[in-house]
Amino acid sequence: LWPIGVSNRRLPAPAQELLAPASVLGDRTTEQELGGATLHPPEVVTAALDELEWRGWVVAEARGYGFRARLLRTVIERDMLTPGQRRRIRERAGLDGGA
């Protein structure tokens, strides 16, 4: 957990802010889904995703963006977010009230 938290803090703020919704919204997420969950404009989301991809946090595929390693996603979602944070991310993304 500690190395992930330290590496996360070295990222620019918008890139850090995308990690939480990327971990909550599923194995693959689109730029539009991340924008809705963060309320960032498209150009900020795109730049943050480029940064995350460049630094090896996420990979881009035809179905969207996903974490390079499932463990990263699991640790961020389970250990670095509260249940309330996860619920709010799901609500902003329009996912059934966060259930």
Side-chain angles (χ1 to χ4, degrees):
L1 173 62
W2 182 81
I4 292 172
V6 169
S7 295
N8 175 3
R9 299 295 177 235
R10 292 182 180 157
L11 294 168
Q16 287 181 40
E17 293 164 9
L18 284 189
L19 290 175
S23 73
V24 171
L25 297 179
D27 287 334
R28 295 286 177 263
T29 358
T30 66
E31 292 176 50
Q32 294 77 20
E33 290 168 331
L34 290 167
T38 61
L39 305 177
H40 285 313
E43 62 274 6
V44 172
V45 173
T46 300
L49 283 169
D50 287 347
E51 183 73 26
L52 290 171
E53 190 174 9
W54 180 255
R55 294 195 188 205
W57 284 83
V58 300
V59 293
E61 297 179 356
R63 297 178 299 141
Y65 289 86
F67 281 91
R68 180 169 299 280
R70 185 177 300 262
L71 178 62
L72 288 174
R73 177 179 175 233
T74 300
V75 168
I76 292 169
E77 181 182 18
R78 185 191 65 212
D79 297 338
M80 298 177 79
L81 297 171
T82 66
Q85 289 172 310
R86 289 190 292 271
R87 179 185 48 80
R88 287 188 298 275
I89 288 167
R90 288 185 186 101
E91 286 174 353
R92 282 193 303 268
L95 299 176
D96 299 330

